[in-house]
Amino acid sequence: MATTQVPGNGKQSGTTPPPSAQREQLASHDPATGEVVGTVPVMTADDVDAAVARARTAAATWSAMSYGEREAELARFRAGLAEACDDLAEVIARENGKPRVDAMTEVYMALSHLSHAARRAEKALKSHRVSPGLLANYRATISYHPLGVVGVIGPWNYPIFTPMGSIAYALAAGNTVVFKPSELTPLTGVKIAEIAARTLSIPDVFQVVTGAGATGAALARAAVDKIAFTGSAGTGKKVMQAAAERLTPVLMELGGKDPMIVTDDADVDKAAEAAVFGALTNSGQACISVERVYVHEAVYDRFVAKVVDEVRAVKVGGDDGNIGAMTSPAQVDIVRDHLTDAVARGAKVLAGGPDAISGNFIQPTVLVDVTADMKVMKDETFGPVIPIVKVASTEDAVRAANETTFGLGSSVFAGKKAKDIADRIRAGMTAVNSVMAFSAITSLPFGGVGESGFGRIHGDEGIREFTRTKATAEESFALPVNLLSFKLPKGTYERIRGLIKQLYGDGAVARAQDFLRRVF
Ligand code: NAD
């Protein structure tokens, strides 16, 4: 396949700002073959600032549009992406290493979020009246307004689906967006921006700035109104520090160490199949991968046997592979380190293992006899690994599941207590008798707690995340006494004192009930 050179001639709005001919270039590689897929310019802080300034100009028009007008614009953007789905799937599969079918699924999920956000924005952001309480002569209203320009910094594991979780919701809420894709998957970002430039009637509503960490850091320091960051907790902390200089608010979508709990009354076969898919899909490079499995001792042997059986059928690499190459050698090194550490500390390998790594390909690995002190149980592995722990009770499973600094996704396979167990897991999301489903349900908020981050994308919360909330108190009629004035009548102190005692003092509840009885 021919490689792609992104010229960066600055003519096409939404792609790249005008670079000098000698601009430093960044190559995107196919991790399966090592081939260069294409190159992009490394953008400087000046380039980033210029993109943000253009986005600011565009925001004036974009934010003034009606919801209906923006929905129509975003429908054209969506149709442009949909028409280009083969090209998008191709570039994603090549840059990331995932099977083409996974890349196409990712495009589908990204478009479902774009569609949902555009359709839902008006309802989610509708102004509404609330009780004015004691200020009964006031109309109290909550309204939502676009922030302006949102900077989105994305990872490489789902190059369109993950950033679209921020991009779609930010755009639908009336903001313009400057997107910094991962240096491992920049061509996907460039392709999205080209389609935006072609389909949106206003230039610079969505732009991409390409480069590595320094370009991301420049965006975090730029004059944007919010930074939506998706990536590792370590980088997230740096982004927060940079954003702190301007007190720019941040949304943090970080890593996870998602637990799965399987109880003694679970459907064991279903749970095993789900564990295999949840841990191995995208070669385990998903923030909501199943990373730890706690199984009740009553069903443990059956579960482990089924998992090993299922794993043996998983094909790695090739056109019909279930999983592809790991996206980067650096990620392979992390997985190898976790597996080597686990084996050195006494874990037993039932499939795959540290010796089953060849180049960027890792055979699915099943580990048992794992303990909480192993890296594979503490840190994000982000690889095709299933560590399984035998537990004596559901209580033990919940306790172990919550013994983590992360708290992104989770899953529970159980009988009628499943929902109760789910509620006790300290995580942003839980799939019950399923895995990962919450990320595909567009109206559910997505995000984590602890080192998995804060703030929410997707759903109504995800739309409001990209707005400022305005509280309005409007006097609807004047009262004889205006407490918001220095011209208070004599005796006001005593009247307020009386009010306090009546409303909040001893017997206030009984008085209120008595009052209600008399009135109604
Ligand atoms: P990363 O933190 O290495 O990089 C993420 C992005 O930050 C990249 O675009 C990178 O260029 C940029 N960056 C690097 N240094 C920067 C700096 N100093 N300032 C600003 N930006 C900088 O993460 P990654 O390896 O690309 O992605 C994998 C991680 O992302 C995993 O931890 C995964 O769990 C997480 N993730 C989370 C979610 C979620 O929704 N919670 C989704 C997908 C991935």
Side-chain angles (χ1 to χ4, degrees), residues 107-360:
V107 173
Y108 167 72
M109 285 173 61
L111 293 186
S112 70
H113 278 289
L114 181 56
S115 185
H116 174 77
R119 251 184 310 141
R120 183 71 197 167
E122 182 165 15
K123 254 206 170 115
L125 301 182
K126 201 170 165 49
S127 308
H128 52 100
R129 299 261 297 269
V130 292
S131 161
L134 281 183
L135 295 186
N137 58 326
Y138 275 78
R139 262 195 298 272
T141 312
I142 298 173
S143 56
Y144 304 93
H145 306 269
L147 295 168
V149 180
V150 173
V152 175
I153 302 174
W156 45 261
N157 59 336
Y158 289 90
I160 188 167
F161 169 63
T162 290
M164 194 58 85
S166 296
I167 293 164
Y169 292 81
L171 291 175
N175 306 281
T176 56
V177 169
V178 178
F179 171 42
K180 209 301 275 175
S182 166
E183 55 274 37
L184 297 179
T185 54
L187 298 171
T188 306
V190 168
K191 183 99 203 138
I192 300 169
E194 282 170 3
I195 294 167
R198 227 179 33 237
T199 53
L200 298 173
S201 67
I202 303 162
D204 304 320
V205 166
F206 176 80
Q207 301 171 78
V208 73
V209 288
T210 47
T215 309
L219 185 56
R221 280 195 306 270
V224 294
D225 300 290
K226 184 153 197 163
I227 285 286
F229 174 78
T230 308
S232 60
T235 310
K237 287 173 192 171
K238 290 186 199 158
V239 168
M240 280 184 77
Q241 276 166 359
E245 283 175 29
R246 290 181 193 262
L247 283 176
T248 305
V250 292
L251 160 76
M252 288 282 142
E253 293 289 345
L254 308 176
K257 192 72 198 165
D258 291 11
M260 172 188 274
I261 291 177
V262 183
T263 63
D264 53 356
D265 59 349
D267 179 335
V268 175
D269 287 352
K270 190 174 171 189
E273 261 182 61
V276 171
F277 178 79
L280 304 186
T281 184
N282 214 36
S283 300
Q285 302 169 119
C287 54
I288 50 168
S289 282
V290 172
E291 291 240 342
R292 302 173 285 151
V293 187
Y294 300 99
V295 186
H296 194 284
E297 59 189 11
V299 294
Y300 176 83
D301 289 342
R302 209 147 54 86
F303 178 85
V304 171
K306 178 75 178 166
V307 164
V308 171
D309 233 36
E310 293 278 334
V311 160
R312 292 222 168 97
V314 172
K315 186 167 183 303
V316 181
D319 286 345
D320 59 345
N322 301 112
I323 63 175
M326 299 291 286
T327 305
S328 74
Q331 197 54 47
V332 174
D333 288 345
I334 293 172
V335 178
R336 184 185 286 111
D337 178 45
H338 282 203
L339 296 184
T340 310
D341 172 77
V343 171
R345 288 170 190 265
K348 199 162 144 205
V349 176
L350 299 186
D355 300 331
I357 298 175
S358 160
N360 285 340

